[in-house]
Amino acid sequence: MKRFISSLLLISLVLLSACSPPGSSKLQSIDASQVQDLSPEKAESLSLPLTNIANLNPLLSKNSDYFHFIQLVYEGLFSFEENGNIQPLLAEHYQISQDGRILSITLKDNVYWQDGEKLTAEDVAMTFNGLKNLPDDSPILLYLRQCVGSTQSFNKETFARAMVFDERNVDIEFDRPYGNMLAMMVFPILPSHLYTEESLAQEENFQLMGTGPFQLASYRKNDEIVLEKNPNYYGPKPYIDEIRGKILESRDHQAQAFDSGQIDLAIFREYKWDRLRDKAQVRLESYETNKLEILSLNSGRPIFQGPQGQALKKAIASAINKQKIVDSLYLQQASVAHFLINPKNNPGFFPENQVYYSTESSKQVLNQAGFTDTNGDGWLETPEGDLLQLDIRTNLANNQRKTQAEFIQDDLKNIGIRTKIVQMETQEDEWGLFQEDLQAGNFDLAIYGIEFSIIPDIASVLYSNARLNFARLSSPKMDEKLSKLALTQDPVQRKQVLTEINELFIEDASYIPLVYKQDILARDAKISEDLNPNMFNIYGGLRDAYISRD
């Protein structure tokens, strides 16, 4: 929604341009009763869902619902746009040194904390330098570790430090020229007049004080957090006066709370929203995530090694009908995946040399590699004359994964490959047993999900001996490119390195990405304007939202 110009000002401008004689700048007077109020109706409140808030500290909370909610209060030096672009937020200007190790930032001059104190470089330096005092498992430190990447070491004490230059200028000096340097600067800035570097890890009695469009009005533990419009906000003021965060027992209660009108918005991360499609009072907005469903081929197995094994992997890759999975299983609220990175959340990267669905191509590759059906029973034999049979493992208690396994089984049957979907010996802790099989390499084909951070650390999957490299991919060339990517800052050069990584990824074919999942934001139709949610900030559109009069 475009923000409204004052009705009186708008009419005055029209009269000035249309009614004054040439050379005259005299304004014609009008009666106030003639001015139509075009402003949107103010809302007393909107209610959003929250669950299980252990503490209010945005640097410590591991609650993903709270992560999005609290962005209405706190801001970072930079922020992500819908497509993953990084833009200055509290920063007005920035510059990276020639050696790529120093990020110099100039703050905006008109930003104030919600108690009226002015934002300064001291606030930035205190917050950044204080991150080292957080627990190692805090979400902010884990995020910074992912930005650094699996190919690089990370020491929270020494990897970077902030130095105040003057009231508006601060330098962040890093130990290396990290490629994701700007992405590291999206953490919430806290006020130095309320906190010290040592107290940033405080859990109890944490005082919410940000620079965002809303500020804390009240908090009742295990009940609700109430936000109100921030009168000191430097940007356009929100139309909505109050935001209520309703603390529910669990996410399972969110749909019920939305149906009963306890909350005005609900986030559906699983596919339980279809019943809402035809409800006139509900609007659904989908958004891309970094949640990936993937098929791993165990390159440690002899069947996938050598030229024949490479041909088999490529044949499997082109035999899988990913679009059928999207259309039939995910109600079209997903997109076909070709690489680990979702290009819709990562600007400037569009995978090239994609593998497309073609059973005829798969059959041709297999035939040229010596896989044939010598006895005419419809199943291929290996070049050595053995029956070609592969097992498929997944956590079958997950109905989506079970169906994906069945789809893939049918696709491979179409090219003559016999498969068996393996049932666990016991249904107790099936997911745990499946994870053990992944770690130990007890599979031929495995289907599972990966949820990458906002900044996908693809090296955690592709680097030799990486913790999530279940396919046992081992490529010195790939390792070299991943290490280079971690330290490449120039966008053009990063795109080139990513393209080279993608080419190696497709050539190896140890991993077959299936789909990128989408999440759904359901909202009451009384909320005018699309909220344009995204995985970086679900509620960013609330600043411009208002309540419809209809």
Side-chain angles (χ1 to χ4, degrees):
M1 182 193 72
K2 294 182 178 179
R3 293 190 162 262
F4 290 82
I5 300 174
S6 163
S7 301
L8 180 59
L9 174 60
L10 179 61
I11 292 174
S12 297
L13 290 174
V14 171
L15 291 174
L16 175 62
S17 60
C19 301
S20 299
S24 172
S25 61
K26 182 179 180 180
L27 286 174
Q28 295 187 19
S29 62
I30 58 174
D31 191 282
S33 63
Q34 296 177 277
V35 178
Q36 182 182 4
D37 182 12
L38 299 180
S39 301
E41 184 179 1
K42 292 182 178 179
E44 290 185 0
S45 68
L46 286 179
S47 296
L48 278 57
L50 290 172
T51 53
N52 303 324
I53 300 175
N55 64 79
L56 298 181
N57 189 333
L59 301 178
L60 294 179
S61 177
K62 300 177 182 178
N63 186 309
S64 61
D65 293 324
Y66 185 68
F67 165 80
H68 291 284
F69 180 84
I70 207 62
Q71 289 187 69
L72 296 167
V73 176
Y74 285 98
E75 297 176 312
L77 294 169
F78 295 81
S79 65
F80 288 98
E81 293 186 321
E82 181 179 356
N83 64 354
N85 271 318
I86 301 173
Q87 295 294 333
L89 185 54
L90 293 177
E92 179 178 87
H93 172 76
Y94 73 93
Q95 183 174 348
I96 299 176
S97 63
Q98 190 171 359
D99 64 1
R101 292 180 55 246
I102 299 177
L103 174 63
S104 298
I105 298 170
T106 300
L107 298 176
K108 290 179 178 176
D109 192 30
N110 61 336
V111 181
Y112 293 86
W113 295 102
Q114 292 157 357
D115 62 359
E117 292 283 337
K118 191 172 185 179
L119 172 76
T120 69
E122 187 61 41
D123 299 318
V124 175
M126 183 280 299
T127 305
F128 188 82
N129 291 333
L131 297 180
K132 66 179 181 295
N133 295 312
L134 302 180
D136 290 343
D137 64 347
S138 65
I140 297 296
L141 284 180
L142 291 175
Y143 170 73
L144 290 175
R145 179 69 185 88
Q146 290 161 344
C147 287
V148 168
S150 296
T151 65
Q152 305 296 314
S153 61
F154 176 75
N155 184 324
K156 67 178 183 180
E157 299 284 347
T158 60
F159 97 103
R161 62 174 180 149
M163 300 169 290
V164 174
F165 186 76
D166 59 29
E167 187 178 66
R168 291 182 57 201
N169 291 277
V170 60
D171 286 350
I172 314 292
E173 183 179 10
F174 295 85
D175 59 357
R176 275 162 279 185
Y178 294 110
N180 290 318
M181 182 180 289
L182 293 184
M184 296 180 190
M185 298 292 108
V186 300
F187 60 90
I189 303 299
L190 273 63
S192 60
H193 65 281
L194 293 181
Y195 290 96
T196 64
E197 293 180 18
E198 292 72 25
S199 66
L200 286 188
Q202 178 178 328
E203 295 186 22
E204 299 298 327
N205 302 317
F206 188 86
Q207 183 177 351
L208 292 181
M209 181 67 66
T211 58
F214 292 90
Q215 64 184 19
L216 180 68
S218 64
Y219 168 55
R220 292 196 299 272
K221 191 172 184 179
N222 300 323
D223 184 11
E224 69 174 2
I225 302 176
V226 180
L227 306 180
E228 62 186 4
K229 187 186 303 186
N230 174 17
N232 291 318
Y233 185 54
Y234 60 93
K237 303 296 188 295
Y239 294 121
I240 296 172
D241 292 322
E242 186 179 75
I243 302 289
R244 292 182 174 269
K246 296 287 186 179
I247 301 176
L248 308 173
E249 290 184 28
S250 70
R251 279 185 178 171
D252 295 336
H253 293 79
Q254 193 171 143
Q256 181 180 352
F258 183 72
D259 289 340
S260 63
Q262 295 180 58
I263 56 177
D264 299 304
L265 298 97
I267 304 162
F268 289 86
R269 295 180 174 87
E270 297 297 333
Y271 295 82
K272 300 175 182 177
W273 49 266
D274 193 47
R275 60 183 174 78
L276 300 173
R277 279 183 186 270
D278 299 323
K279 290 193 174 184
Q281 193 56 29
V282 177
R283 299 289 182 268
L284 301 176
E285 296 186 58
S286 62
Y287 58 95
E288 295 289 332
T289 73
N290 280 349
K291 292 184 284 190
L292 172 70
E293 291 289 303
I294 193 167
L295 174 68
S296 286
L297 286 61
N298 188 350
S299 294
R301 293 285 172 94
I303 191 65
F304 291 127
Q305 295 176 355
Q308 294 170 343
Q310 195 66 34
L312 176 59
K313 290 193 290 184
K314 287 188 175 182
I316 292 174
S318 60
I320 297 174
N321 189 346
K322 301 177 184 180
Q323 192 62 52
K324 179 182 177 181
I325 296 175
V326 169
D327 296 341
S328 302
L329 187 56
Y330 290 96
L331 307 176
Q332 298 184 336
Q333 293 302 146
S335 54
V336 169
H338 296 287
F339 188 51
L340 302 181
I341 293 177
N342 187 341
K344 295 180 181 179
N345 289 333
N346 294 270
F349 175 66
F350 301 95
E352 302 174 1
N353 301 323
Q354 298 173 353
V355 177
Y356 294 99
Y357 170 60
S358 173
T359 55
E360 292 305 314
S361 174
S362 295
K363 290 177 180 179
Q364 184 178 2
V365 169
L366 289 170
N367 182 263
Q368 291 175 349
F371 294 91
T372 56
D373 177 14
T374 57
N375 58 13
D377 65 353
W379 301 111
L380 295 176
E381 293 95 33
T382 67
E384 293 76 26
D386 300 320
L387 175 66
L388 177 57
Q389 179 170 311
L390 304 172
D391 67 58
I392 302 177
R393 291 181 183 262
T394 190
N395 52 319
L396 296 175
N398 183 315
N399 289 327
Q400 285 182 329
R401 299 261 167 80
K402 179 181 178 182
T403 304
Q404 282 178 166
E406 292 168 349
F407 283 176
I408 290 172
Q409 185 177 50
D410 289 341
D411 289 337
L412 297 186
K413 179 181 178 181
N414 290 337
I415 61 172
I417 297 178
R418 176 179 288 179
T419 59
K420 177 184 178 182
I421 299 176
V422 178
Q423 182 80 43
M424 297 293 179
E425 294 182 2
T426 174
Q427 294 302 304
E428 295 182 10
D429 194 25
E430 184 199 37
W431 173 241
L433 293 173
F434 175 56
Q435 286 183 301
E436 290 178 6
D437 284 340
L438 287 176
Q439 294 287 352
N442 296 330
F443 66 92
D444 293 326
L445 310 177
I447 304 169
Y448 54 94
I450 299 176
E451 183 171 359
F452 285 104
S453 171
I454 291 175
I455 297 296
D457 179 17
I458 59 174
S460 66
V461 176
L462 301 180
Y463 201 77
S464 298
N465 300 317
R467 62 185 180 87
L468 298 180
N469 187 354
F470 300 130
R472 275 67 183 169
L473 186 157
S474 180
S475 167
K477 287 185 178 179
M478 178 70 80
D479 293 349
E480 177 189 348
K481 298 299 181 184
L482 291 168
S483 297
K484 183 177 180 180
L485 179 66
L487 302 178
T488 300
Q489 295 174 333
D490 180 77
V492 176
Q493 294 178 13
R494 284 184 65 82
K495 181 180 178 181
Q496 178 59 37
V497 177
L498 272 171
T499 299
E500 293 168 356
I501 290 173
N502 182 59
E503 291 171 351
L504 293 172
F505 178 84
I506 291 174
E507 178 64 26
D508 181 85
S510 292
Y511 290 103
I512 303 173
L514 300 174
V515 301
Y516 306 113
K517 289 184 177 182
Q518 296 174 357
D519 285 343
I520 297 290
L521 177 65
R523 61 179 172 88
D524 192 300
K526 70 181 181 182
I527 304 175
S528 294
E529 298 297 316
D530 291 340
L531 297 183
N532 298 315
N534 58 76
M535 63 168 287
F536 310 104
N537 188 354
I538 294 176
Y539 300 127
L542 283 179
R543 195 198 69 178
D544 292 326
Y546 63 97
I547 298 299
S548 172
R549 296 178 178 181
D550 298 330

